[in-house]
Amino acid sequence: MLTILLQTLGWTLAHTPECVLRGACGVLGELMLLALPRRRRLMFSNLDHAFPERSRAWKSTLARECSRRLIETGLLSLASPFLSDRRLREIARLSPGTEALARDLQARPRPVVFGTVHFAHWEAQTWYPLLSPVPLPEFGVIFRPLDNPSANAFVTRTRERFGMKLLSRKQGLQDAFRILQRQGCVGLLFEQNAGLQGALTTLFGRVCSTTELGGLLAEKYGAEVRTFYPRRLGFWRVEFHSDAVAHDGTAAGVTLALNRWLESALGGDDNLCASWLWSHDRWRNQDMPAKRLRLEQKRDLLAVDLAARGLATLPRKTRVFVRLPNWLGDVVMALPLLRAIRVSRPDAELTLIGKPGFAPLVADWDVCDRYEPLPARGRAYFAHFWRLRTRYPDVYLLFTNSLRGDLEAWLTRCRQRFGIVRPDKKRPLLSHAYRVPAEFDERTHHQLELWENFLRHFGLAAPLNRKPAEGAAPHIPHSAVRTPRSPIGLIAGSENTPAKRWPVEHWRTLIAARPGQSFVLFGTAGDRAITDEIARGFDPILVENLAGRTDLPTYIARLRGCRLLVTNDTGGMHLANALGVPLIALFGPTNPVRTGPVFAAPHVILQPPGCAATGGGNLADLSPEAVLAELGRQLDEAAARV
């Protein structure tokens, strides 16, 4: 039935005036963009990744032309079995160089591997023997058979009409070997997604899977390597060209040289660029959810590819959006994971989305390529994320656990949106979820462990780097070198949970017990009433009250300059730990097992007497004497290290 339909449609198209077909292609091409939103988005995404510097107008024009040419190609493929030889010669011709190549192959038979691509009217390449001024040597073309046997037989018969032999990718490789042994020619499409069977390479800087078959054939038989492709001249008018491809003779060298030829052709010629099949999944191999956050393939030519291009590292072309948590402490705890993504997926361009105030922190750590500050709440809030859809993110990681965050991600139209799903909550706007196992008790595991499990579920392979940040914030003119004369930092506030605060009287007792020692009180503007009460009556030269008077960069620099920090369970505790500042963390009602410091810097956790390891105690029961004793031990150890 399918064969009859193909024949009927093909005969009808072959007898339809070209002016009618030209108009139909214009209409159908526009309809294809409108009716197939996934394909439309894929096309624009591929164009934007390949040509980020080109204007949106250029990409729109090229996408429409590409769609029209795809329809035009399909109509000619259907009609060509019913077109006469004379009509085919009107439609297609050989360039002078390709005619000369045909004569040269007749005069000097030799094995040649022709790499072909999905340019408009690619199936017309089987007309080469008809158009050639001289008989060609034996010529085979490797193709992927259709699943329908009857339709495949019809297509094979019509494509072999002029003497080219179609060789099934599944069963015809031995025939290809024999043709090259007999000094013949073999053609194959080299720019398709080769899936798990291909080798990792780059195309326009993006990691993809590429077939090595052309390279293997060329290396095994010492074959010449050329491209063979159609250049569209007008509606149903093409000219065939062939270019020599310089390579080093190895299979890898041929594979990479063909990719570079394609990049040059598409990047330097808008006509060829509009003829390529931009709506196919050329770069999809490395986006399997379970492996999304690592690069993995049986064959990996990335190092060779980079060396051939003179690059030291992979270009960051895979667009990974990360929605940061909303609290400073949680953002700091996520930093080792962002470092690991950088290592595990070195081609990732990381865009972090979070509160504007966190931008200096991530800039200091160099864990992202872009920082996208959250807009102000209001009617335009979600419109901001809708506009981000034109950035074409490849994957969106959510550390948040809210409907608002999920809706933000969904509005960007990112196809892969990964998050954590707990048994008591549904998140329907995620595309893929890490489901927390029922036996995983979050009270007895650190938050970082849960997040690590989440990312490993999606392929994260690199170990977590918990080393504190090095150096000082270069834009702050304040020394961050710790000395025995450096102040002791104190964080006495906690805006979100008053029960996490050590009592004011205890802080004052701590300061009074160390006469002559300088202290710095940190906090937000909301903590100012607390810090004013703590500092009351002390020499302001020895007890400096900075609460509400520092922005984040200054806060970072001043924390780095502290010889030690005594702190409640706050975001500042995590920040100091990430900076390598030795600290004593005071935990009462909260759970240090779940939210304690994560970086490999000196820290001690103190809890009230009788408090469970997972928290629940009254912080007022933690005596100043206990904290002073630990403070003395830490200062003695620091002095001994010096």
Side-chain angles (χ1 to χ4, degrees):
M1 185 66 182
L2 179 59
T3 303
I4 295 174
L5 178 62
L6 291 175
Q7 291 174 336
T8 302
L9 184 57
W11 186 92
T12 302
L13 293 170
H15 293 82
T16 300
E18 282 189 11
C19 61
V20 175
L21 296 175
R22 186 183 303 111
C25 286
V27 173
L28 292 174
E30 294 292 334
L31 285 176
M32 185 176 73
L33 283 178
L34 291 173
L36 301 175
R38 182 187 175 279
R39 284 291 169 183
R40 178 179 69 246
R41 182 164 179 81
L42 177 61
M43 181 184 296
F44 275 100
S45 177
N46 285 340
L47 286 168
D48 194 67
H49 281 73
F51 305 108
E53 74 287 353
R54 298 290 189 102
S55 69
R56 176 76 178 182
W58 179 87
K59 294 164 193 169
S60 297
T61 299
L62 192 132
R64 289 203 301 273
E65 182 61 24
C66 182
S67 298
R68 288 193 290 267
R69 292 187 184 188
L70 179 59
I71 299 295
E72 179 186 329
T73 298
L75 297 185
L76 181 58
S77 296
L78 291 168
S80 61
F82 304 96
L83 298 176
S84 65
D85 291 0
R86 180 186 62 79
R87 180 80 181 278
L88 296 181
R89 289 192 179 97
E90 291 176 356
I91 292 172
R93 71 189 189 202
L94 301 181
S95 69
T98 311
E99 285 192 359
L101 174 64
R103 292 189 176 91
D104 188 49
L105 288 174
Q106 184 192 49
R108 293 189 306 111
R110 58 194 184 276
V112 181
V113 172
F114 284 95
T116 66
V117 293
H118 281 101
F119 288 151
H121 308 307
W122 66 85
E123 291 186 359
Q125 292 171 115
T126 57
W127 305 354
Y128 190 14
L130 171 69
L131 305 175
S132 175
V134 296
L136 292 175
E138 187 177 10
F139 211 126
V141 177
I142 298 172
F143 82 113
R144 182 174 296 163
L146 301 177
D147 293 332
N148 185 293
S150 177
N152 186 66
F154 170 70
V155 170
T156 301
R157 183 172 66 254
T158 57
R159 290 180 182 175
E160 291 183 336
R161 172 179 171 186
F162 302 113
M164 277 197 180
K165 184 176 182 181
L166 266 63
L167 312 174
S168 166
R169 183 179 287 271
K170 297 178 180 179
Q171 301 160 346
L173 290 183
Q174 291 300 322
D175 290 334
F177 299 157
R178 286 189 282 269
I179 289 173
L180 292 173
Q181 285 177 332
R182 294 193 291 263
Q183 308 298 298
C185 304
V186 170
L188 76 160
L189 287 161
F190 69 86
E191 37 64 276
Q192 293 176 294
N193 180 358
L196 297 177
Q197 305 306 313
L200 289 187
T201 66
T202 63
L203 183 66
F204 287 107
R206 292 176 75 190
V207 174
C208 59
S209 175
T210 302
T211 178
E212 292 185 277
L213 181 56
L216 293 170
L217 292 174
E219 181 182 64
K220 182 177 179 64
Y221 296 102
E224 181 180 344
V225 179
R226 303 188 65 90
T227 59
F228 187 72
Y229 59 97
R231 173 184 289 278
R232 183 183 181 275
L233 304 177
F235 184 82
W236 279 16
R237 296 295 185 272
V238 295
E239 181 176 77
F240 290 102
H241 292 253
S242 178
D243 297 336
V245 177
H247 58 89
D248 62 7
T250 66
V254 171
T255 301
L256 299 177
L258 286 169
N259 265 4
R260 291 196 298 274
W261 177 90
L262 180 61
E263 283 182 14
S264 178
L266 296 177
D269 190 321
D270 282 4
N271 184 10
L272 292 180
C273 193
S275 289
W276 197 51
L277 193 60
W278 286 100
S279 60
H280 75 324
D281 290 320
R282 178 66 182 96
W283 289 274
R284 272 204 64 182
N285 174 255
Q286 292 299 303
D287 70 346
M288 292 174 288
K291 299 181 179 180
R292 195 46 157 125
L293 298 181
R294 68 175 181 264
L295 293 176
E296 180 181 291
Q297 193 87 343
K298 292 180 181 178
R299 287 280 294 154
D300 186 342
L301 299 181
L302 292 176
V304 181
D305 194 353
L306 292 178
R309 297 173 184 272
L311 299 176
T313 59
L314 276 171
R316 292 173 177 166
K317 291 284 191 173
T318 297
R319 297 174 184 175
V320 179
F321 280 25
V322 180
R323 177 58 160 93
L324 293 175
N326 292 318
W327 296 102
L328 174 61
D330 289 343
V331 172
V332 173
M333 286 192 290
L335 292 174
L337 297 164
L338 299 177
R339 281 175 160 179
I341 293 173
R342 282 286 213 206
V343 175
S344 186
R345 190 82 202 219
D347 65 324
E349 178 195 68
L350 282 181
T351 295
L352 304 186
I353 301 173
K355 291 183 176 180
F358 297 152
L361 171 64
V362 297
D364 206 29
W365 277 69
D366 190 28
V367 290
C368 71
D369 302 285
R370 298 176 182 229
Y371 192 86
E372 187 69 33
L374 290 171
R377 295 288 181 91
R379 289 189 296 178
Y381 182 87
F382 289 112
H384 174 81
F385 291 92
W386 178 248
R387 289 191 293 271
L388 289 182
R389 77 191 189 283
T390 59
R391 296 256 292 272
Y392 302 102
D394 296 307
V395 60
Y396 202 121
L397 305 175
L398 291 113
F399 285 102
T400 52
N401 186 38
S402 66
L403 178 61
R404 175 180 289 272
D406 295 353
L407 182 56
E408 293 167 2
W410 182 83
L411 286 170
T412 67
R413 313 313 295 155
C414 182
R415 189 172 56 86
Q416 293 185 327
R417 304 177 300 279
F418 299 164
I420 299 172
V421 173
R422 293 171 171 83
D424 60 342
K425 186 171 184 178
K426 295 182 179 179
R427 301 180 67 179
L429 295 182
L430 297 178
S431 65
H432 302 80
Y434 167 67
R435 301 188 181 278
V436 180
E439 65 274 12
F440 188 90
D441 185 351
E442 294 192 47
R443 296 172 302 172
T444 59
H445 293 81
H446 200 281
Q447 175 69 47
L448 182 62
E449 183 181 349
L450 174 64
W451 284 345
E452 182 179 2
N453 292 344
F454 157 49
L455 295 188
R456 298 223 182 274
H457 178 75
F458 292 108
L460 184 71
L464 300 192
N465 179 354
R466 302 194 188 205
K467 183 180 179 182
E470 298 293 337
H475 43 287
I476 301 299
H478 184 281
S479 173
V481 177
R482 288 187 289 275
T483 71
R485 299 180 62 83
S486 296
I488 293 173
L490 307 176
I491 302 180
S494 177
E495 278 193 290
N496 61 333
T497 309
K500 293 162 61 175
R501 300 171 186 160
W502 204 38
V504 169
E505 295 77 11
H506 290 4
W507 289 108
R508 289 180 58 82
T509 300
L510 177 70
I511 295 172
R514 305 287 301 191
Q517 171 66 54
S518 60
F519 294 89
V520 178
L521 287 161
F522 296 101
T524 66
D527 298 326
R528 186 73 189 186
I530 298 172
T531 58
D532 282 347
E533 182 63 21
I534 293 172
R536 180 177 51 83
F538 290 111
D539 185 346
I541 295 177
L542 292 178
V543 181
E544 186 180 8
N545 188 356
L546 293 180
R549 296 179 177 176
T550 58
D551 57 13
L552 186 56
T554 307
Y555 189 21
I556 291 172
R558 294 303 301 269
L559 276 176
R560 278 186 170 132
C562 292
R563 63 193 294 206
L564 186 80
L565 179 72
V566 182
T567 173
N568 295 332
D569 174 18
T570 67
M573 173 196 71
H574 289 287
L575 182 56
N577 175 239
L579 298 172
V581 179
L583 62 87
I584 299 172
L586 313 181
F587 277 79
T590 51
N591 181 357
V593 175
R594 176 168 169 73
T595 62
V598 301
F599 284 88
H603 64 270
V604 173
I605 293 173
L606 294 183
Q607 294 176 282
C611 180
T614 54
N618 185 347
L619 197 53
D621 294 338
L622 179 61
S623 69
E625 291 73 21
V627 177
L628 278 166
E630 185 59 43
L631 177 62
R633 280 192 292 271
Q634 294 300 314
L635 293 177
D636 289 344
E637 289 181 8
R641 287 195 295 269
V642 174

